[in-house]
Amino acid sequence: MSTTSLTASLPVPDRADRLRDALLAVDFTADGLLELLGAPAYAALARSETVPALRATRADGPLATLVRLFLLQRPVPRERARTVLPLDEALADGWVVEDGDAVRATVDVRPYGGPEGQDWFIVSDLGCAVGGAAGASGHGEGVVLGVGGASTTLAGITVRTPVASALDLGTGSGIQALHAAQHATRVTATDLNPRALEFARLTLALSGAPEADLRTGSLYEPVASETYDLIVSNPPFVISPLASGTGEPGTRLTYRDGGMGGDDLCRSLVQQAGERLNEGGFAQFLANWQHVEGEDWQERLRSWVPRGCDAWIVQREVQDVTQYAELWLRDAGDHRDDPERYAARYAAWLDEFEARRTRAIGFGWITLRKSGAQETSVVVEEWPHPVEQPLGEAVRAHFARQDYLRTRDDAALLGDHFVLAPEVMQEQVGLPGAEDPEHVVLRQNRGMRRATKVDAVGAGFAGVCDGTLSAGRILDAIAQLMGEDPVMLRDRTPQAIRLLVEEGFLEPAQGA
């Protein structure tokens, strides 16, 4: 894609409902694509591989025509397009342009399934929805990407309770604003790139969602001191030398490079979120952070959490500086340049990391909740294991459990009733034929899918938690069965119960 195409006029959304009706009429949806292309070709699209999809759409048909036009971005005969689109309107509004006897799309339109079965459409620059960031190589700093893994991850972890106001900071093609519009009365979406706001407008209109308040600007500048019940951001978090003003001069990629040194952009986003959250509100971010020589990365992230906010920070992945540099050099297509130029850019990244004493880069989720509590809860953990998306309810429940635990001393805890969380299984590990297992593991089959070792008391306690008896009564019965002193058992067990509650294996019974 040339710079000229990036600055060209984008489609007009005024009659997007007519185009939407035409797309839905031929099942140009996520489910329709899967059925037409088959699972292997459908999955290949996410890897920037279009050959299987091209083969699957060789036969003429209404859906195949739209796939080739909007997803694979191939010209299609004008008269064939007319059979599936309100073509005169699509031409007039700028969704397609004439190309000899054919028409071609001006934007990428990707079907996207909403959480409750909605049929949505994400509009982005040509070549960027299929294959994500890799499709943007060489397109310049104004490029607007479609749906990628980061986008869907943030959408999945976001708390989806009904709210009055939501802010999507750095909206890009508008996917987070689209999700927020389903449960927020008022949605504000911002972006430093004015083109991104136009794409977000198209995404919302073509998906049949309410309009959002779209504002241009960096970080929280466009919203000044306004406050919200929900803030979400998939920011340009890449830590690159071009973003921090060092290394070889070049074009900053707005969609990924934050324009600040190191991880300052992510730190600023988090630290400034507290004063823009309403009481009880959530702020949820994807972020990169530096692992700095001589610093504890967990303590470093704790220092980002604003006063009056609880936080749950989950590190999902860590890359050493060479892996990280290679990943983002490939993302920008630099590996296809002259080898000497590639080596110079690679060296610039390593120089930057060395200057900042950075040994690795972490990636993960940061969730804040404005609690106003005097003693806030800040949990920073590493969890690289598989999880079950969507996790929004698991995130909400995590903070609800923190609220519960900070109001209970040991005596109150033992007086409460608990139930075992749904789909928690017990595993016993030991040598074949042994009378007793070496250890017992409780494992969650939903949400974070945690596993934790427990002793005989913990296993017995969890196994009988059905809300009928208080924790203290259960421990008294276990003490009698095991021949232990009930007073000592009551004294040493509350901490283990707290951990099982904190990690979601046990839930306070209703009324606790």
Side-chain angles (χ1 to χ4, degrees):
M1 182 184 300
S2 66
T3 303
T4 301
S5 64
L6 281 176
T7 57
S9 298
L10 294 176
V12 178
D14 298 350
R15 293 182 286 189
D17 56 331
R18 289 277 309 236
L19 178 59
R20 172 181 169 80
D21 289 344
L23 300 180
L24 294 177
V26 297
D27 204 17
F28 186 63
T29 64
D31 288 343
L33 290 185
L34 181 60
E35 183 174 349
L36 173 69
L37 303 179
Y42 188 73
L45 285 177
R47 303 191 301 269
S48 289
E49 298 292 347
T50 58
V51 173
L54 285 167
R55 291 174 62 84
T57 56
R58 284 178 297 185
D60 291 343
L63 181 54
T65 297
L66 290 182
V67 171
R68 281 184 164 254
L69 180 64
F70 285 119
L71 257 187
L72 302 179
Q73 288 125 38
R74 298 298 197 274
V76 301
R78 184 190 297 110
E79 294 311 310
R80 186 181 302 172
R82 190 178 299 279
T83 65
V84 292
L85 292 175
L87 186 58
D88 292 338
E89 291 179 5
L91 285 164
D93 293 347
W95 293 95
V96 297
V97 293
E98 293 183 333
D99 185 2
D101 291 333
V103 296
R104 54 182 175 82
T106 61
V107 290
D108 192 313
V109 177
R110 178 177 179 175
Y112 177 77
E116 297 179 359
Q118 302 99 323
D119 291 315
W120 292 338
F121 301 95
I122 309 300
V123 186
S124 65
D125 271 314
L126 293 170
C128 297
V130 176
S137 301
H139 291 347
E141 66 171 281
V143 69
V144 177
L145 300 186
V147 180
S151 302
T152 54
T153 293
L154 179 59
I157 68 173
T158 300
V159 176
R160 296 297 176 192
T161 53
V163 294
S165 58
L167 169 64
D168 176 14
L169 196 154
T171 189
S173 57
I175 180 174
Q176 309 305 330
L178 179 57
H179 277 277
Q182 311 307 305
H183 62 103
T185 304
R186 174 173 60 89
V187 176
T188 302
T190 71
D191 206 287
L192 181 63
N193 181 4
R195 294 185 74 253
L197 297 177
E198 294 306 311
F199 275 109
R201 191 189 311 277
L202 294 171
T203 290
L204 292 169
L206 195 56
S207 298
E211 292 185 4
D213 180 4
L214 304 175
R215 307 183 191 180
T216 306
S218 178
L219 300 180
Y220 295 102
E221 178 188 9
V223 300
S225 59
E226 295 175 27
T227 58
Y228 298 87
D229 301 311
L230 174 67
I231 299 173
V232 293
S233 182
N234 175 20
F237 51 67
V238 176
I239 302 170
S240 70
L242 297 182
S244 58
T246 65
E248 179 186 355
T251 302
R252 182 166 69 86
L253 299 179
T254 308
Y255 72 86
R256 69 168 209 190
D257 296 324
M260 294 186 183
D263 52 18
D264 284 354
L265 181 133
C266 292
R267 177 184 55 79
S268 298
L269 275 177
V270 175
Q271 289 181 334
Q272 296 173 25
E275 60 192 9
R276 291 173 175 83
L277 277 178
N278 295 325
E279 197 75 15
F282 286 91
Q284 299 188 260
F285 311 95
L286 299 186
N288 272 173
W289 46 78
Q290 299 168 125
H291 285 227
V292 178
E293 184 178 359
E295 295 184 23
D296 183 294
W297 71 270
Q298 293 178 314
E299 289 305 313
R300 191 165 185 275
L301 287 175
R302 287 178 184 276
S303 72
W304 292 10
V305 178
R307 182 176 302 176
C309 288
D310 297 325
W312 185 19
I313 302 173
V314 182
Q315 180 167 273
R316 295 288 291 158
E317 184 180 358
V318 181
Q319 290 185 311
D320 66 47
V321 293
T322 60
Q323 292 174 312
Y324 189 81
E326 291 161 13
L327 169 67
W328 293 110
L329 286 167
R330 288 182 177 275
D331 170 83
D334 289 339
H335 62 299
R336 292 192 288 266
D337 287 345
D338 175 81
E340 290 187 7
R341 190 179 181 193
Y342 172 77
R345 289 181 172 179
Y346 197 151
W349 283 68
L350 297 185
D351 288 345
E352 170 80 355
F353 290 136
E354 184 175 354
R356 294 182 176 277
R357 298 184 295 114
T358 302
R359 296 294 174 260
I361 306 294
F363 166 79
W365 319 325
I366 298 178
T367 299
L368 307 176
R369 198 273 304 263
K370 186 74 169 285
S371 66
Q374 289 186 341
E375 294 186 12
T376 55
S377 164
V378 178
V379 176
V380 184
E381 63 175 321
E382 185 165 16
W383 190 255
H385 311 294
V387 299
E388 183 187 53
Q389 286 275 34
L391 274 171
E393 176 56 26
V395 173
R396 186 207 61 78
H398 166 89
F399 289 94
R401 294 193 298 269
Q402 298 299 323
D403 285 344
Y404 165 79
L405 287 171
R406 70 174 144 223
T407 65
R408 295 297 198 273
D409 60 17
D410 287 356
L413 198 70
L414 292 177
D416 283 344
H417 298 231
F418 299 93
V419 294
L420 191 66
E423 297 193 34
V424 171
M425 304 298 292
Q426 176 178 301
E427 300 174 0
Q428 299 188 95
V429 181
L431 294 173
E435 183 174 346
D436 297 313
E438 292 181 16
H439 59 262
V440 176
V441 174
L442 298 181
R443 186 179 302 277
Q444 300 168 351
N445 288 320
R446 300 182 63 182
M448 293 294 286
R449 294 181 173 173
R450 297 187 187 275
T452 187
K453 287 184 182 180
V454 292
D455 59 14
V457 172
F461 182 87
V464 297
C465 279
D466 61 2
T468 303
L469 298 175
S470 68
R473 291 283 302 277
I474 293 174
L475 290 179
D476 290 343
I478 291 175
Q480 185 175 4
L481 286 172
M482 300 181 67
E484 292 203 31
D485 183 337
V487 176
M488 293 185 64
L489 192 61
R490 279 175 171 254
D491 185 59
R492 67 178 171 85
T493 306
Q495 186 57 38
I497 297 175
R498 286 183 186 279
L499 181 61
L500 290 175
V501 173
E502 181 175 346
E503 294 192 340
F505 291 95
L506 294 178
E507 300 174 352
Q510 293 297 319

